[in-house]
Structures are given as C-alpha cells and as structure tokens.
Amino acid sequence: MGDVALHTPDAPGYPVRSVGKALEILLMLRDRETIGIAEASRELGIARSTAHRLLSMLEHYRFAQRDTKSRGYRSGPALVSLGLAAVVRMDIRRLARPHMERLAHEIEETVTLMCLEGADVRFLDSVESPRPVRVAGRTGLLRPAHCTSAGKAILADLPSEQLEKLYPDEPLRTLTERSIGSRRRLLTVLEEVRRAGYATNLGESDAGLVGIGVAIPNLAGSPSAGIGIAAPESRLAPEQIREIADAALRTANAIANTFE
Amino acid sequence: MGDVALHTPDAPGYPVRSVGKALEILLMLRDRETIGIAEASRELGIARSTAHRLLSMLEHYRFAQRDTKSRGYRSGPALVSLGLAAVVRMDIRRLARPHMERLAHEIEETVTLMCLEGADVRFLDSVESPRPVRVAGRTGLLRPAHCTSAGKAILADLPSEQLEKLYPDEPLRTLTERSIGSRRRLLTVLEEVRRAGYATNLGESDAGLVGIGVAIPNLAGSPSAGIGIAAPESRLAPEQIREIADAALRTANAIANTFE
DNA sequence: GCTTGGTGTTCTGTACTGCGGGACAATCTT
DNA sequence: AAGATTGTCCCGCAGTACAGAACACCAAGC
C-alpha cells in the first residue's frame, strides 16, 4: 500500500539498466576529456564487454567518437548539436535575452547568464559590452561557483544543507590569489551577499576583471541561474557598484516575472 | 565468410536495442520542441509502455524534462551541460578561435564558425565586430545552409550525390525574398562558388545583412565546417568583397593547417 | 629477448530483463 | 455525452543483453 519513496519524485519504477548505464557514460563524458573501456567498466561496475558494447552503440549514433590514435572515446558531434539545440530552446535563456541586452546597453558592460552545475557555474549566454575594450563573452565555459559573482549570488540562495554537500573538502579550488580559499570564509561572504542582495568578484576568477552578480529568483524546477556583469578592473569605481547592482537586480526580477 | 556490410564502417555488431531506441529519442528531441509518449512509440515502432519507460529513464537522468502542464517531454538540463561541455572541447572550435579573433580584429566585422548539420548549418562560435554597430554573434542558431554564406561554401565542397540527398524536395525553404528558392538555381550558384573560392549572402538570411563565407578544407572525420563574415549591408561595398574573402580564405587555411 | 600488467575486441550460453499487450484513468474533440 | 487519444500501471513470456573467458595487442620492466 502506502509507498514510502514518494520523496524521490522521479525514481524510475521500472528501470532499464542498459539505458541507465549508457546515460551514465554520457555523463562521464561531460567531466572527463576521454574515457577508456576499462575505465567505464570499473566505474559503473559492469563487465568490460558490456562497456565495449555500450560505447560502440554511442559511437554508432555519433554521441561519442574515438580519439585519433584509437585510444579512448570522446564526446561526439551528436552531443554538440543536441546540446546547442537544447541551449537555444532553454526557457531561461530565451526569456532572459532581451532583458540582458537592455542591461548591457544601459551600463555598457558585458552581461552573462549562468546556471549552477554542481559546484560550478556554466556560462549559458552573454551579451558583450558595446565598448571597444570589454570583457569577452565566453559561452559554454565552466567556472567554480565561489570564484564568480553570479555564482556566489546563486550559492547564497541555496539551503545550507545543500551547500555543505557541494563543498565536502576543505581547501577550496582557487583561480587567482584573491579567490576564496576556505569554507569558513565562503560562508561569511555568502552571509554578506544575502544581506546586500548581490555579490561581487574582485579579481577572484581572472586577474584584472571585476564582476557584480545577482541570482534570478523563483526559477521553478530548472537549475538555479543568475546574471553577472563583468568589467575591466580599471573601469569600475567602487561608488558605481551599488548602482549597477540595482540595475542587475531589476533585470533579474524582470526575468523572473516573465515566467507566467 | 565475406561480410558484405563492410561499407557501413560503424555498424554495431551487437546492438543494444533499448539503448539505441533511447538515443533515437534524444535525437528526436533535437528537431522537435517536445515529444509525447504515443508520438515516440509510433515513430520508433515500439509499444507505448516501452516508450514510457524509456522517457522516464531519460527524465530521471535529467536528459529530458516534462513540460509544464505535464504534456510532453522536452530536452533537459543534462543535455545542455553535456552539449556545452562538448562544444567547448571541440577541436575545430578550440583551434579556430585564435584565428577567428585575428580575422575579426583585422576586418572589424563579426566572424562566425559554423558546421553542417543535415541541410542546415549550426552556429558554433563567433567573435563579434569591435564596432558599435555590428552583427550579433548567435551561437547555437540553426539556419538553412543554402541561405548563408558559409553554408553555401560548405555545400559547394560536397560531392554531388550527397548534395542531392540533402535536397530531395523542390521548393527550397526561404528566409527572405532574396533566398535561393530552387534547386537549379542553387546548383548554378554553387558552381560559381567553386570557381570563386568563396560564397556571398546578400540579404538571403536576414534583410539588411550581408555575408561572405568560406569552407575550412580537409576536416578529416569531423563534419564539414566553415567560417562566415557578417556585416550590415550599408557598410560592405562590393569592391571590398574580394579583399575580405581573401582574408577569410587565409584564415580558413590557417585553421586547417593547425590540424597536425 | 621474454615476461607481466594493462588494454580493446569477439564469441557463446543462460538467466534475467526489458518488451509487448492489455486495462485503466484522465484528457481533449466531436 | 460519447468517442478518440493520451499517459500510466501491471504482468507473464521470450528474447536479449549481460558476464565470463579467450584472444590479440601494446606498453613498460626485468
């Protein structure tokens, strides 16, 4: 009678193991550059022959391709086109675009849309500053969330137990010497972010680059997202920050309201 | 004895049907916005219950997600992150980037990298013009190949039998009234492209936008790619075309030579 | 040179798993 | 209100996708 496992809304009542394993291989392909057959077999707990067959299958459908020198499989063209098609269709991105363009035009700096992916943020889209000297948009990039402005804003919105899961190991990854290196420091920074409503990034991801980021609230279902504004260090005076953050917050709210 | 089917180099000797069907569903997700269970079952020739289970599986791994109003499945966040990770890693893109930046800087117009996907071209990456009035880079977009400059350049490099497969139906899709509408016209245009070495796009994809495109030669294995230069109509005088095309050809060759 | 540990690849039998069919409920159409 | 489609669940059978072993291949290492 009463089903206890209701708290996992999408547990497949009738799993198809081979498909599950194949999808897990695809997910491995996201984090690793290439995968070997033995590697996959070990990691998924399946026989080498099975891993071989699954990878051949992925190769046949162009989801994977063999690296030259026939050593290991890497992600194939089907993933590229599927992914790009999915990105273009993403609700957040489509809805956010016009607002981002308005914001980029108003403050004349590069605006980027990001979403959380594990403990990282993925750059989903960006509108570059109209000025000749500007920060380039780097769609597709992955950065540690705690090293970016929008990433910090997103983290600040997370429930604390989820946050702890994301940072199990103590020495946090750093990109520059200004990056946040310890969990304690991160927690106090996030507290400040919650108070201020926005986050900053003062050369913590790239030297000479500063950013201001806010989270997009109420993204029902889809992973948490945010927008960040990036500028050359020399151009952003401290007294502008509040003003720019307000513009970003207005934009984020406008995006959130577009969800009917 | 003699295996006849040697001309299909990657036919999986030992197919895993469920995985194959699952991957085919993913491929459907690329072309359609959403798919229903009955739809998938019909198209793949499997029972509705099977389609249901496969889609649940995809949903569980976040490769698909249900559309609000619980009607139909659409592509999920896993596809987005997988795709973007794959794009960033793509050889062509990584290798082409520096050359594209140089070209964009030299001619001060927006440069785009595209690759063929069926009879369309997918925008893989772009470097925007430094000028204030410029054509925006639209990474991820899909356009009919015969309506874009680089697309035509890529088509011109294709063997004719492959070309015929791509255009079975006579009234070609058009985006503006200047788009090429018939196969005959396309063939003569492609002949000109082969002679000139580059292709043009005079308001055939977007009104007020002109482009110059070239194919990147010798892309062993990976799908055919090309680069295009897009500019506002008002800014591109006819006498500049040859010069810009030469710069683009130099760039394309430089990219091709990067492949060791 | 010949081992030794590691790969990727192919084959075959069997237990299990994922398939189809059917029944039900919830929608949308007419 | 009836009819047509849809998504969802369940169950029993048979087909399949798994593991295991055997083989070929390439590195190092002694």
Side-chain angles (χ1 to χ4, degrees):
Chain A
M1 279 105 169
D3 190 4
V4 194
L6 271 185
H7 56 282
T8 53
D10 48 0
Y14 209 149
V16 182
R17 286 193 41 199
S18 51
V19 173
K21 298 296 184 188
L23 296 183
E24 280 182 47
I25 292 183
L26 285 181
L27 289 175
M28 289 176 66
L29 233 31
R30 173 178 55 182
D31 306 320
R32 259 158 273 241
E33 188 87 8
T34 70
I35 311 188
I37 291 203
E39 198 179 347
S41 116
R42 255 183 276 112
E43 210 130 335
L44 299 181
I46 56 181
R48 284 216 311 271
S49 55
T50 308
H52 179 45
R53 228 152 0 94
L54 291 179
L55 274 165
S56 302
M57 214 62 191
L58 293 179
E59 185 186 11
H60 177 244
Y61 283 92
R62 313 263 153 150
F63 281 73
Q65 64 189 109
R66 310 215 68 158
D67 201 77
T68 36
K69 178 63 193 155
S70 138
R71 196 151 218 68
Y73 294 77
R74 40 169 52 241
S75 39
L79 278 184
V80 173
S81 64
L82 255 166
L84 285 176
V87 171
V88 171
R89 271 188 208 128
M90 271 186 79
D91 297 342
I92 324 160
R93 194 181 125 133
R94 219 171 17 190
L95 296 174
R97 246 280 157 178
H99 300 281
M100 288 169 61
E101 279 168 358
R102 205 170 309 131
L103 182 61
H105 186 76
E106 179 187 340
I107 60 181
E108 299 198 313
E109 295 296 354
T110 298
V111 176
T112 305
L113 175 71
M114 321 183 189
C115 82
L116 196 64
E117 193 176 313
D120 298 299
V121 282
R122 177 78 69 180
F123 290 40
L124 286 180
D125 193 13
S126 66
V127 180
E128 292 194 5
S129 159
R131 303 209 196 178
V133 173
R134 63 181 188 269
V135 177
R138 293 146 297 170
T139 305
L141 214 70
L142 200 65
R143 281 281 159 87
H146 66 279
C147 295
T148 71
S149 60
K152 283 192 267 186
I154 295 173
L155 291 178
D157 266 8
L158 253 42
S160 61
E161 66 267 19
Q162 197 175 340
L163 208 59
E164 279 174 35
K165 261 189 225 152
L166 291 182
Y167 295 96
D169 302 320
E170 184 45 73
L172 268 47
R173 291 172 291 168
T174 58
L175 295 178
T176 72
E177 64 275 3
R178 295 211 201 163
S179 305
I180 297 175
S182 81
R183 200 157 41 176
R184 268 196 52 202
R185 172 133 181 70
L186 178 60
L187 290 179
T188 56
V189 167
L190 291 185
E191 192 50 53
E192 291 168 23
V193 171
R194 272 187 281 269
R195 267 203 296 278
Y198 66 88
T200 58
N201 163 9
L202 306 173
E204 297 158 48
S205 61
D206 304 85
L209 186 151
V210 299
I212 300 171
V214 300
I216 302 176
N218 297 330
L219 274 183
S222 24
S224 330
I227 53 177
I229 289 139
E233 195 167 30
S234 51
R235 196 149 69 201
L236 199 71
E239 59 269 24
Q240 293 179 278
I241 291 187
R242 182 76 243 180
E243 181 189 347
I244 292 183
D246 284 339
L249 282 168
R250 278 196 302 276
T251 304
N253 282 318
I255 294 172
N257 287 333
T258 324
F259 287 80
E260 76 283 55
Chain B
M1 288 98 175
D3 189 6
V4 194
L6 271 186
H7 54 285
T8 53
D10 46 5
Y14 207 149
V16 182
R17 284 194 42 201
S18 50
V19 172
K21 298 296 183 186
L23 296 182
E24 279 182 47
I25 292 182
L26 285 181
L27 289 175
M28 289 176 66
L29 233 31
R30 174 178 55 183
D31 306 320
R32 260 160 272 243
E33 186 88 7
T34 70
I35 41 180
I37 292 204
E39 197 180 347
S41 117
R42 255 183 274 111
E43 209 131 335
L44 300 182
I46 56 181
R48 283 215 311 276
S49 52
T50 308
H52 178 46
R53 228 150 359 93
L54 290 179
L55 275 165
S56 302
M57 214 60 192
L58 293 179
E59 186 188 10
H60 177 243
Y61 284 91
R62 315 264 154 149
F63 281 73
Q65 66 190 100
R66 310 216 69 157
D67 201 78
T68 36
K69 178 62 191 154
S70 135
R71 196 149 218 69
Y73 294 76
R74 41 169 49 242
S75 38
L79 278 183
V80 173
S81 65
L82 256 166
L84 285 177
V87 170
V88 171
R89 273 191 207 123
M90 273 186 75
D91 296 344
I92 322 159
R93 194 179 124 134
R94 222 172 14 190
L95 296 175
R97 247 281 156 174
H99 300 281
M100 288 169 61
E101 278 168 359
R102 205 170 308 132
L103 181 61
H105 185 76
E106 177 186 344
I107 60 181
E108 299 198 313
E109 295 295 354
T110 299
V111 176
T112 305
L113 175 70
M114 319 184 191
C115 83
L116 196 65
E117 191 178 315
D120 299 298
V121 282
R122 175 78 70 180
F123 290 41
L124 286 181
D125 193 12
S126 67
V127 180
E128 294 194 6
S129 159
R131 300 208 197 181
V133 173
R134 63 178 187 268
V135 177
R138 293 146 297 170
T139 306
L141 215 70
L142 200 67
R143 282 280 159 87
H146 66 277
C147 295
T148 70
S149 59
K152 284 192 267 187
I154 295 173
L155 290 177
D157 266 9
L158 253 44
S160 60
E161 66 266 18
Q162 197 175 339
L163 210 58
E164 279 173 35
K165 263 189 225 153
L166 290 182
Y167 296 96
D169 303 320
E170 184 44 77
L172 267 48
R173 290 171 292 167
T174 59
L175 294 177
T176 72
E177 63 275 5
R178 296 211 198 161
S179 304
I180 297 173
S182 80
R183 201 156 39 178
R184 268 198 49 206
R185 172 131 181 68
L186 178 61
L187 290 179
T188 55
V189 168
L190 291 185
E191 192 50 53
E192 291 169 23
V193 171
R194 272 186 281 269
R195 266 202 298 279
Y198 66 90
T200 60
N201 162 11
L202 306 173
E204 296 160 47
S205 59
D206 304 84
L209 187 151
V210 300
I212 299 170
V214 300
I216 302 176
N218 297 330
L219 274 184
S222 26
S224 332
I227 54 179
I229 290 140
E233 194 167 32
S234 51
R235 195 149 71 202
L236 199 71
E239 60 269 25
Q240 293 178 277
I241 290 186
R242 183 75 244 179
E243 180 189 347
I244 292 183
D246 283 339
L249 282 168
R250 277 196 302 275
T251 303
N253 281 319
I255 294 173
N257 287 334
T258 325
F259 288 80
E260 78 282 57

